[in-house]
Amino acid sequence: MGLDPHLVQIAYLANVNGSDIGALLTPVGTLATLIWMYILKKHSINISWGKYLRVTFLIIPFGLIVSLISLYFWTTWLLK
């Protein structure tokens, strides 16, 4: 395709980042979340889907900002 290898690597890493964060938005997005919720329920710790979504919508923007800043510094300092 004739793209700069550095640009392709940045696009790849950003895609992985987006895929990881996108799956966390709902409890059915990842198998690990479903297993975690099942284990909590089995031990009489009830977490509703609404509470899960409220927490994820508070935490995900922070995680996204940190990961994008880290990606920026990693690609500008380490890959050049």
Side-chain angles (χ1 to χ4, degrees):
M1 290 175 36
L3 296 174
D4 178 33
H6 183 67
L7 179 66
V8 171
Q9 189 170 24
I10 292 171
Y12 172 75
L13 293 171
N15 190 9
V16 169
N17 187 25
S19 297
D20 288 343
I21 289 177
L24 295 175
L25 290 176
T26 62
V28 296
T30 61
L31 180 59
T33 303
L34 291 173
I35 293 171
W36 174 73
M37 289 181 84
Y38 171 75
I39 290 171
L40 289 176
K41 191 172 193 174
K42 190 175 177 181
H43 293 285
S44 300
I45 302 171
N46 291 324
I47 294 184
S48 68
W49 287 43
K51 187 173 183 178
Y52 176 84
L53 289 174
R54 281 193 303 271
V55 170
T56 56
F57 282 117
L58 289 173
I59 299 298
I60 286 177
F62 175 73
L64 179 62
I65 290 168
V66 168
S67 63
L68 289 177
I69 290 171
S70 300
L71 177 64
Y72 171 76
F73 285 120
W74 188 56
T75 57
T76 56
W77 290 350
L78 298 176
L79 295 179
K80 283 191 176 189

